Amino acid sequence: MTSNAWRPAIAALANDTTREVYARIVLGASRVDAVAGVAAPRADAAIAALVGAGLVTEREGALVADATGPKRMLATAPARPTGVDRFLRPDGRIDRYPSKAGERVELLAHVAERVLRPGEIVTERELTGRLERFADDVALLRRHLVDHGVVERTPSGSEYALAPSIRETPPAAETPRQAVGVAPEGVSRPRDAASGSTSSERR
């Protein structure tokens, strides 16, 4: 039985006639009594729906409520998502942001590790393009990544890289470009007093 086995049962019981017939069968009514007062075409359709959904079985011409049907449906129901999957749609896009700070950082790190490699530095346009597969509001997602310390801006403010705390994790992005002189937003690298350039510029 597949994980969607419950769908036919819900569809069958959503029909008033089928639900009434099922109730009679559960209470022990005979086949004739179960469909009493129901037009033949509708009665046949109701029984077929109940049997097809696994709610009723036919034994020697009699209709019997199958108590194992609902149990099998529950046993094959998909497991409840855990971790960051609770906040993602089936296609991997963000469904909502967690209210708890720790869970939100975990979700953002999940995204960051899939769009940036350790040591990679990308432009805002490149980052935006990579984030589009995770959210409809990319600007909000990018801001969350920076505000929660998962992604940091370079001193120029126009490029981005993974924050040091995230760089330890193996990534999944493509086309790395070595990040040099990356600093959190609002923090500049010290300049050489004599040359007026940073150590990375002198290299």
Side-chain angles (χ1 to χ4, degrees):
M1 183 172 288
T2 67
S3 61
N4 290 325
W6 55 271
R7 292 183 181 276
I10 296 299
L13 296 177
N15 180 276
D16 292 341
T17 299
T18 305
R19 188 167 60 250
E20 182 178 353
V21 172
Y22 179 60
R24 293 175 181 176
I25 294 173
V26 170
L27 293 175
S30 66
R31 186 187 190 103
V32 173
D33 291 339
V35 296
V38 180
R42 296 176 65 184
D44 291 342
I47 292 173
L50 292 170
V51 172
L55 295 172
V56 169
T57 58
E58 293 189 81
R59 298 175 185 171
E60 299 179 355
L63 298 173
V64 180
D66 187 353
T68 65
K71 293 180 180 179
R72 290 197 303 271
M73 294 173 202
L74 289 174
T76 58
R80 299 185 66 177
T82 59
V84 298
D85 289 338
R86 291 174 295 162
F87 311 106
L88 299 173
R89 303 173 191 168
D91 61 1
R93 295 174 69 81
I94 295 174
D95 179 60
R96 68 187 188 283
Y97 291 99
S99 57
K100 294 182 179 179
E103 292 179 339
R104 180 171 293 195
V105 170
E106 184 181 2
L107 173 63
L108 295 171
H110 168 85
V111 173
E113 291 166 358
R114 284 157 178 76
V115 298
L116 291 169
R117 293 181 182 277
E120 181 184 17
I121 183 170
V122 299
T123 65
E124 182 171 302
R125 182 176 181 180
E126 289 175 312
L127 180 61
T128 296
R130 296 181 186 186
L131 292 176
E132 286 178 347
R133 67 188 178 97
F134 288 100
D136 299 323
D137 190 340
V138 176
L140 177 62
L141 173 55
R142 190 178 62 239
R143 184 162 64 249
H144 279 326
L145 289 168
V146 174
D147 290 348
H148 287 77
V150 177
V151 169
E152 59 188 11
R153 287 193 178 101
T154 58
S156 68
S158 61
E159 296 178 310
Y160 298 79
L162 282 176
S165 60
I166 308 297
R167 293 177 193 167
E168 300 289 333
T169 307
E174 298 179 355
T175 317
R177 193 153 48 109
Q178 188 64 33
V180 180
V182 176
E185 183 179 9
V187 178
S188 300
R189 291 180 60 85
R191 289 182 170 274
D192 183 278
S195 65
S197 62
T198 64
S199 58
S200 61
E201 290 171 345
R202 291 198 301 276
R203 290 198 294 272

